[in-house]
Amino acid sequence: MTISEQGSGNGPDDDADPAAIGDPAAAGGSLSEPEAAAARLRTAVRAQWDVLSASERAVARHLASAPAESLLFASAQELGTASGTSNATVVRALQRLGYAGLPALKRELAVDFTAAVAPEVRLKQRIDHVGRDLDAIWGDVFDEAQERIEHARRLTPGAALSDAVGILAEAKEIHCYGIAASELAARHLALALGRIGRRSRCAGATGFALADQLLAIRHGDAVVIFQPGRDLAELSVLVDRAQAVGARVVLVTDELAETYGPRVDAVLTAPHTPTGITTEALTALVVADALLLALTTLDETRAVETSHQLTALREQLLGRRERRR
C-alpha cells in the first residue's frame, strides 16, 4: 500500500475543524503504536492551524491523519502527492509545525515506533513498503540516505565542529569507541587517523573487557564516542574515566546530546535511520570523514609524510610477495 492510498489526498479544506485533526474518534480509527510522537504532531497542527496556508493545511491534515508507520517510509515527494501539494510545501509545513524537516519528524516517530514494535514486524513493514520494484528500492535507499546526511549537516553547528576538530588536533592519542553498528565508524576513524599521522586506537569492548581498554586512556588524550541513541552503562563509565585522567571527549550521537552534553567537550549530530532502510553507521561515517579532512588540512606536512611512508611500506610488502613467487 502506498502513502497516497492511506491518506486523504483531497487537497486543501479551509473549513476543516482543527480540533478534530488526527482525532481517531473523529476518523473512526485507532491510535497507531507511536502514540507520543503522533500526539505531539497533532498538537502542533492544532496550535499552528491559523497561521498555515491552505496548501500547508492540506499537508498538516495528511500528516496528522496518516498512520505513523507510513510516515516513516514516506519521502517528501510522496507526501506532497498524497496531500495534493508538493515536496517543497511539505518541507515548509513541517518547519511551521516546529520540525527542522521530514527527517526530524521521522526521528521522533521512530523512537516510539522502535520501542513499541518488534524488529521482525518492522522488517516486514519495510518489505511491504518497497515490494519488489527495483526502481522503488533504489530510490528509497538513496532518498533516505540523502535525507539523513542533509539533516546531519543542518543539525551540527560550525562551532561544534570547530570544537571537535580542536580537541582532536591537540590530543596525544585519539581513542575511537563504538559497538555493534557504530563500531564500523569507530574503526574507520581510528584507521584513517593513523594514515594521516595521528596516534589512534579503536575500542569496542563491553562489560568487564572494556576495563582493559579504559586503562589506555591518558591525560591529554581524546575520546571519540559513536553512539546514536541507547544510553549504555559503558558510556557513562567511559566518560567518567576520561574526565578522571584529563582526557577530552567528543560525542557523535543522535539522541544522547541532552543526556551527555554537560559531561563531554563537543557533540556532533549523526541522525540514525528511522526505518532501517539505510545502514545505521551512514551519517557517523560522514561525520568521521569531515573530522579527518579537517585534521589533514591542519597539519598537511604530517599527513603527506605519513602517506609517503605508508606507500613505501606497501611497496616493500608487495615486493617481498612477488619475490616469494
Side-chain angles (χ1 to χ4, degrees), residues 46 60 112 138 190 230 235 242 263 324:
R46 289 192 290 269
D112 293 335
W138 186 262
R230 184 170 298 178
L235 300 186
R263 300 173 58 190
R324 287 178 181 175

Side-chain angles (χ1 to χ4, degrees), residues 26-62:
S30 60
L31 285 172
S32 57
E33 286 93 341
E35 294 184 8
R40 287 193 294 272
L41 173 60
R42 293 192 295 272
T43 298
V45 170
R46 289 192 290 269
Q48 298 298 320
W49 186 259
D50 290 341
V51 300
L52 297 177
S53 67
S55 57
E56 289 167 350
R57 287 182 178 182
V59 173
R61 185 182 307 106
H62 178 76

Side-chain angles (χ1 to χ4, degrees), residues 195-282:
R195 291 177 175 175
I196 62 172
R198 303 279 178 174
R199 291 184 57 192
S200 60
R201 65 175 75 196
C202 178
T206 58
F208 285 171
L210 179 59
D212 294 287
Q213 296 178 341
L214 294 177
L215 286 174
I217 302 175
R218 299 283 192 267
H219 177 79
D221 288 353
V223 179
V224 182
I225 302 174
F226 293 93
Q227 179 63 15
R230 184 170 298 178
D231 186 4
L232 304 174
E234 285 84 353
L235 300 186
S236 186
V237 175
L238 178 54
V239 172
D240 287 344
R241 169 64 179 177
Q243 291 177 333
V245 301
R248 304 176 75 184
V249 179
V250 175
L251 175 63
V252 182
T253 188
D254 185 12
E255 301 172 9
L256 299 178
E258 184 175 345
T259 302
Y260 284 93
R263 300 173 58 190
V264 301
D265 300 280
V267 177
L268 303 178
T269 302
H272 62 62
T273 171
T275 64
I277 289 176
T278 52
T279 182
E280 189 71 75
L282 173 65

